[in-house]
Amino acid sequence: MPRCGCQTAKTGDSTFVISFSRISCISRCGNFLNSKLKTKNSKLATALLGWFAVHARDLPWRRTRDPYAIWVSEIMLQQTQVKTVIPFWERWLRELPTIEAVAKADSAKIHKLWEGLGYYTRVRNLQMAAQQIVNRRRDEFHESPAKNQVRDSQRSSLRNLPAKFLENYDEVLALPGIGRYTAGAICSIAFNQPTPILDGNVIRVLTRLFGIAENPKEKAANARLWQLAEELVSHAKTQRRKKNNSPLRAFAPLREDNSCSHLNQSLMELGALVCTPRNPQCLACPVKKLCVAFAENRVDELPNLGKREAATARHFLAFAVECGGNFLVQQRPAGVVNAHLWEFPNVEITGTKPDAPAAFQKIFGVKPKVIQPLRTVKHSITRYRITLEAFFVSLAKRPAKTNGRWLAPAEFDSIAFSSAHKKLASAAAKSILSGR
Ligand code: SF4
């Protein structure tokens, strides 16, 4: 009988070893170890579900099983913190309460509702996916034999049935903007399917729980993590209803029809609240007795994310050009970062001494008489550390050959700016009020 505590497993085209000790296993471990892993996963599922029932945060999208609302929350939560997302999610659901409403909303509206969340490709993909779902509903109606058997009045009401979000995992995965994680999250949370999830929080929790030393981006380690996530959520499927005495948790009682949903959310929640990147609260952790990293004092080493790519500094000069109380703003083209959003004219500069008047002349073909510093905004996009240095320029006459719109500050709210340029818009509006 093997003593090492390891198990070999095959996922796709890769074979890997799940190690419960620091001794490497070179033999096939057999049923004994399979049952050991099953026992550990079963205990983990029980402990996580019990903990989640008491400690889950009361988030608005946890009060609904509407797949559309859950889908929107999952897309907004990509790359964005929970507290930032809440007001955006509430406003989105108020303004666009159905899939049809998203499908037919105009581009300016969806960008305005997303303004400030960043990563705007998400919102365009969301709309494309909504359009696909609505078109699919229309095709299903036209292909339906029942269509010819109903009276005209019934036909129109059938045609107007609301488009339903898809329940099939592969079909959800095929929608624009939805990857394996998001498809798993939607299908488990909205439909209680045992579909695994693996995001940054879950990777951190699982690598520590199972003592996985390999970089989770590597193919074999990644496959192993997905398999562990799948095994855990499958165990949850068999969990029975538990008594939950917490009066605050009426919104999250564990039922047989939400155990997969709760298991996946418990992994994310544990990563967000307890098993944090720095200073994890191991002593308060509900699964510390099952955690390899805790037992072996390796918590700080895991996950092994390798070396971070160094950030690249970039410097832009922007111009709040005012003429007759209006400012020139321009829309970013399709296919670039922050596509379709609005901004003040700007240019990237290289070298150590930025020459704002020369840059202005290069863009507008005229030399500014007076150019005054307006505001500097520093921010990061992906691996870029960006400095946006803005200047105020007042002109008596609009320059020829300028693209864009001239807007009064009161009209700024009608268009969607990128976050950095939103700050410049506010500074530009104040500059007019202060009679600069
Ligand atoms: Fe994370 Fe510590 Fe809990 Fe292990 S014991 S899962 S490292 S918080």
Side-chain angles (χ1 to χ4, degrees):
M1 188 174 286
R3 292 170 142 200
C4 56
C6 299
Q7 177 204 357
T8 57
K10 197 163 169 56
T11 302
D13 57 357
S14 58
T15 302
F16 51 81
V17 176
I18 296 172
S19 172
F20 286 97
S21 76
R22 305 191 79 165
I23 307 162
S24 296
C25 178
I26 53 166
S27 65
R28 285 202 151 261
C29 301
N31 291 338
F32 167 75
L33 294 155
N34 274 327
S35 74
K36 197 168 174 178
L37 179 63
K38 273 189 190 157
T39 308
K40 172 163 173 159
N41 284 345
S42 175
K43 284 182 181 168
L44 278 173
T46 305
L48 287 166
L49 287 169
W51 175 81
F52 185 76
V54 177
H55 294 277
R57 284 170 292 178
D58 183 1
L59 305 176
W61 45 87
R62 287 189 175 151
R63 288 180 169 261
T64 177
R65 296 288 293 270
D66 174 4
Y68 163 62
I70 290 164
W71 169 39
V72 174
S73 74
E74 284 301 328
I75 300 296
M76 286 186 171
L77 285 164
Q78 293 168 0
Q79 321 273 353
T80 313
Q81 291 186 337
V82 163
K83 68 174 190 306
T84 308
V85 165
I86 292 173
F88 282 92
W89 182 85
E90 289 174 334
R91 190 174 56 150
W92 181 280
L93 270 281
R94 259 195 325 272
E95 297 275 331
L96 302 171
T98 61
I99 298 176
E100 287 85 353
V102 180
K104 64 181 185 216
D106 64 35
S107 167
K109 173 151 188 161
I110 60 166
H111 282 94
K112 188 68 191 167
L113 287 171
W114 211 266
E115 184 187 36
L117 273 179
Y119 301 98
Y120 293 87
T121 310
R122 293 183 292 175
V123 72
R124 291 188 285 279
N125 280 332
L126 187 73
Q127 184 172 52
M128 269 195 276
Q131 288 164 346
Q132 284 185 14
I133 294 169
V134 169
N135 290 340
R136 186 189 157 110
R137 160 100 196 81
R138 195 174 301 136
D139 293 346
E140 277 168 3
F141 169 77
H142 286 299
E143 284 160 17
S144 162
K147 186 190 82 167
N148 300 322
Q149 292 162 14
V150 295
R151 287 197 299 272
D152 282 352
S153 57
Q154 289 173 310
R155 193 171 294 167
S156 96
S157 62
L158 261 183
R159 192 185 295 117
N160 293 328
L161 275 179
K164 273 174 54 187
F165 196 80
L166 313 174
E167 278 191 49
N168 177 284
Y169 173 84
D170 290 327
E171 290 174 356
V172 174
L173 185 61
L175 290 170
I178 295 191
R180 195 172 171 187
Y181 162 80
T182 307
I186 296 169
C187 289
S188 61
I189 297 171
F191 308 118
N192 200 44
Q193 295 173 17
T195 46
I197 54 158
L198 195 66
D199 68 349
N201 280 333
V202 181
I203 285 174
R204 187 167 58 256
V205 170
L206 293 182
T207 51
R208 288 172 174 173
L209 276 175
F210 291 88
I212 296 168
E214 295 80 16
N215 187 327
K217 287 190 192 128
E218 286 168 13
K219 197 175 169 192
N222 196 263
R224 182 176 166 187
L225 287 163
W226 274 107
Q227 185 170 346
L228 287 169
E230 187 165 355
E231 284 168 6
L232 281 171
V233 75
S234 299
H235 272 283
K237 189 91 181 144
T238 61
Q239 297 282 323
R240 296 270 162 239
R241 182 179 187 152
K242 299 282 189 310
K243 204 172 172 197
N244 175 10
N245 290 328
S246 169
L248 294 175
R249 298 302 167 216
F251 79 96
L254 179 64
R255 298 186 305 261
E256 281 168 40
D257 70 344
N258 66 13
S259 56
C260 297
S261 159
H262 280 200
L263 188 283
N264 277 350
Q265 292 188 76
S266 74
L267 285 170
M268 294 190 264
E269 198 78 335
L270 192 75
L273 303 180
V274 180
C275 194
T276 45
R278 279 172 295 282
N279 304 320
Q281 308 296 305
C282 295
L283 294 177
C285 176
V287 288
K288 62 177 178 294
K289 285 188 184 152
L290 297 159
C291 180
V292 173
F294 183 59
E296 297 182 353
N297 202 18
R298 292 162 62 207
V299 175
D300 291 342
E301 294 167 24
L302 301 175
N304 164 18
L305 296 172
K307 270 197 177 166
R308 276 202 170 185
E309 216 181 323
T312 306
R314 297 176 70 180
H315 196 146
F316 290 79
L317 296 181
F319 300 98
V321 186
E322 182 268 339
C323 184
N326 293 327
F327 287 90
L328 178 63
V329 289
Q330 298 174 326
Q331 191 170 30
R332 289 178 68 77
V336 301
V337 174
N338 291 336
H340 305 292
L341 296 190
W342 291 83
E343 62 183 13
F344 292 93
N346 63 85
V347 62
E348 183 168 10
I349 51 151
T350 51
T352 47
K353 280 196 176 169
D355 184 341
F360 184 92
Q361 188 169 12
K362 199 170 165 194
I363 299 175
F364 297 102
V366 289
K367 222 174 180 177
K369 282 203 182 97
V370 184
I371 186 162
Q372 297 170 285
L374 179 68
R375 177 170 180 180
T376 298
V377 178
K378 295 192 176 197
H379 63 117
S380 294
I381 298 182
T382 60
R383 61 185 194 83
Y384 298 111
R385 232 177 39 249
I386 294 171
T387 301
L388 180 65
E389 200 180 351
F391 295 85
F392 176 89
V393 179
S394 185
L395 299 178
K397 196 170 135 221
R398 292 182 183 181
K401 289 195 250 165
T402 49
N403 298 319
R405 291 168 64 186
W406 290 86
L407 295 184
E411 296 172 288
F412 286 167
D413 267 349
S414 65
I415 56 173
F417 285 101
S418 67
S419 293
H421 283 263
K422 179 102 179 155
K423 290 177 183 158
L424 300 191
S426 163
K430 277 186 196 148
S431 72
I432 286 274
L433 284 177
S434 65
R436 192 192 273 259

